[in-house]
């Protein structure tokens, strides 16, 4: 490990301790307690993910009140946007990911407010770059990649009307199938667009896959793999439903459906590289391939029918004119 990196670790640790002391001595004890929890979960130096009890401490901040939940998200965002350290940024994002997956509704609601007011790139990490050394520059790519996935995760939740994680229970899955069967074609197509965009963000991964040897990056990839399994299921149920309704789709809906399936297939290679053939779900890829083939066949048939109809009309006009 280089001198500059060692120096950063030492300075970062001292900075964390100084921040904790300053926070404890703050004149606002309620907010200071919240900030201490966030600081301890996102320390400098270590490339390990925050421990389970640190994450649990953050999530518990959403139990007491809306004010406490608001302070928690504000402190976490302040920490994320004030750091230039890739490891600290990844820990902040990992903490946000755990809030999305395990947090109480009031905490998720405060996080969604940032997405509502901040827009699609509400985490504002598109330009993040840690220039300490070549490895931190590579880690910066993982920061930008992870942020984009979390942003799309919340977009998916908004489009579907509930968080992905709320659909794990069997009784919820049964209700979900009933809801899908009664949904409009346009709603199902919009759902698929958002879900496929999530898959594309996952597949647009950094080329420094060797950094998965770091336990923090490894844990991040594992967590995203869990999300992706849920996304696969949601895509599969909607593709199957629209396949059954194929004849009732309009031309514009065919085009949208076909474009989404093609886009999904295009990100397959990147996803396979990331998960090393885990989460393969061959049944889903077979369904996508078969549905695409049927779509193309139906579109050709309708195109030929349209041409035949046009010829008949022209012949009728000609006979009338004569």
């Amino acid at each position: 490990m280089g001198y500059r990196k060692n120096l950063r670790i030492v300075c970062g640790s001292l900075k964390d301790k100084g921040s904790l002391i300053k926070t404890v001595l703050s004149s606002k004890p309620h907010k200071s307690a919240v900030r201490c929890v966030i600081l301890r979960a996102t320390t400098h130096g270590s490339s390990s993910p925050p421990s389970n009890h640190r994450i649990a401490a953050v999530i518990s901040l959403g139990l007491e009140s809306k004010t406490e939940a608001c302070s928690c998200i504000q402190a976490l965002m302040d920490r994320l946007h004030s750091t230039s350290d890739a490891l600290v940024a990844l820990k902040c994002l990992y903490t946000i990911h755990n809030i999305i997956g395990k947090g109480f509704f009031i905490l998720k609601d405060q996080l969604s407010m940032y997405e509502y007011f901040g827009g699609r790139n509400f985490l504002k990490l598109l330009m993040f770059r840690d220039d300490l050394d070549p490895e931190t520059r590579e880690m910066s790519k993982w920061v930008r990649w992870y942020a984009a996935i979390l942003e799309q995760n919340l977009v998916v939740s908004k489009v579907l009307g509930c968080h992905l994680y709320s659909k794990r229970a069997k009784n919820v899955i049964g209700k979900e199938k009933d809801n899908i069967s009664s949904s409009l074609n346009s709603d199902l197509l919009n759902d698929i667009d958002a879900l496929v965009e999530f898959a594309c963000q996952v597949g647009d991964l950094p080329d420094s896959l060797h950094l998965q040897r770091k336990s923090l990056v490894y844990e991040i990839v594992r967590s995203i793999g869990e999300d992706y399994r849920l996304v696969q299921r949601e895509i599969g149920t909607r593709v199957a439903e629209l396949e059954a309704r194929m004849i009732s789709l309009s031309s514009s809906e065919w085009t949208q459906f076909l474009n989404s399936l093609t886009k999904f297939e295009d990100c397959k290679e990147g996803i396979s590289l990331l998960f090393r053939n885990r989460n393969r779900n061959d049944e889903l890829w077979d369904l996508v391939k078969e549905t695409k083939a049927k779509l193309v066949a139906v579109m050709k048939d309708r195109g030929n029918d349209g041409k035949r109809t046009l010829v008949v009309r022209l012949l009728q006009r000609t006979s009338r004119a004569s």
Side-chain angles (χ1 to χ4, degrees):
M1 189 180 293
Y3 170 76
R4 290 180 65 197
K5 187 165 285 187
N6 280 324
L7 182 61
R8 170 187 272 195
I9 292 172
V10 172
C11 291
S13 297
L14 291 173
K15 186 177 180 181
D16 286 343
K17 290 178 181 178
S19 297
L20 283 169
I21 293 171
K22 181 180 177 182
T23 302
V24 169
L25 298 176
S26 170
S27 59
K28 298 178 180 179
H30 178 73
K31 286 189 175 182
S32 66
V34 171
R35 290 189 176 277
C36 282
V37 172
I38 298 300
L39 284 168
R40 291 185 177 115
T42 59
T43 54
H44 287 79
S46 171
S47 61
S48 299
S51 62
N52 290 335
H53 78 275
R54 294 296 186 201
I55 293 295
V58 173
I59 290 174
S60 68
L61 293 172
L63 275 173
E64 296 298 328
S65 67
K66 184 176 180 179
T67 301
E68 188 175 66
C70 182
S71 297
C72 172
I73 300 302
Q74 183 64 57
L76 187 53
M77 288 298 183
D78 288 346
R79 177 71 158 168
L80 176 63
H81 294 145
S82 64
T83 188
S84 58
D85 187 311
L87 286 175
V88 173
L90 284 173
K91 289 177 184 180
C92 289
L93 293 173
Y94 180 75
T95 305
I96 290 171
H97 198 172
N98 275 272
I99 289 172
I100 295 173
K102 304 173 186 176
F104 298 100
F105 173 78
I106 192 169
L107 207 53
K108 293 180 183 180
D109 186 53
Q110 290 301 310
L111 186 60
S112 297
M113 294 299 289
Y114 272 85
E115 189 267 337
Y116 179 79
F117 289 107
R120 191 177 187 86
N121 303 119
F122 74 98
L123 291 174
K124 304 185 187 307
L125 294 175
L126 287 172
M127 304 302 291
F128 182 88
R129 186 176 174 87
D130 184 344
D131 275 321
L132 181 68
D133 58 31
E135 183 176 273
T136 59
R137 284 192 285 274
E138 288 300 318
M139 291 291 284
S140 298
K141 296 178 183 178
W142 287 89
V143 171
R144 297 192 294 270
W145 173 78
Y146 195 17
I149 290 172
L150 295 183
E151 287 165 346
Q152 187 60 27
N153 188 311
L154 289 183
V155 170
V156 167
S157 297
K158 182 194 291 185
V159 172
L160 298 187
C162 59
H163 288 279
L164 281 170
Y165 304 91
S166 65
K167 300 187 174 196
R168 286 174 170 162
K170 290 182 179 179
N171 61 326
V172 175
I173 293 172
K175 292 178 182 178
E176 176 68 9
K177 288 181 178 178
D178 293 338
N179 291 337
I180 288 173
S181 63
S182 61
S183 294
L184 297 173
N185 293 343
S186 57
D187 291 335
L188 293 178
L189 288 167
N190 289 336
D191 290 353
I192 290 175
D193 283 347
L195 291 161
V196 167
E197 184 59 33
F198 179 93
C200 288
Q201 293 290 355
V202 173
D204 189 22
L205 68 161
D207 51 16
S208 50
L209 290 175
H210 62 279
L211 288 177
Q212 289 189 69
R213 70 176 185 271
K214 293 184 178 294
S215 57
L216 176 57
V217 177
Y218 178 87
E219 181 61 24
I220 285 168
V221 171
R222 188 198 64 77
S223 299
I224 290 171
E226 292 182 0
D227 292 356
Y228 178 62
R229 273 196 295 273
L230 296 172
V231 166
Q232 283 181 315
R233 190 190 72 199
E234 298 299 321
I235 290 175
T237 54
R238 285 160 177 78
V239 170
E241 179 64 27
L242 285 172
E243 183 192 23
R245 303 184 191 181
M246 197 173 292
I247 301 301
S248 69
L249 298 179
S250 67
S251 296
S252 61
E253 288 171 339
W254 282 342
T255 302
Q256 184 179 353
F257 194 19
L258 185 59
N259 288 342
S260 293
L261 296 181
T262 301
K263 189 175 181 181
F264 186 40
E265 283 189 324
D266 288 344
C267 65
K268 181 179 180 181
E269 183 179 354
I271 291 171
S272 298
L273 280 173
L274 179 65
F275 298 126
R276 298 178 185 274
N277 289 322
R278 300 189 302 273
N279 303 321
R280 281 178 56 175
N281 198 340
D282 291 333
E283 290 184 4
L284 174 59
W285 293 113
D286 290 342
L287 173 63
V288 169
K289 185 177 180 180
E290 291 167 8
T291 304
K292 271 187 69 178
K294 290 178 183 178
L295 268 173
V296 171
V298 172
M299 289 174 77
K300 284 182 178 178
D301 287 343
R302 284 213 178 175
N304 291 333
D305 289 344
K307 290 177 182 178
R308 283 193 290 270
T309 301
L310 181 60
V311 170
V312 170
R313 287 178 180 174
L314 287 172
L315 289 172
Q316 287 175 343
R317 288 178 186 174
T318 302
S319 62
R320 286 172 189 168
S322 60

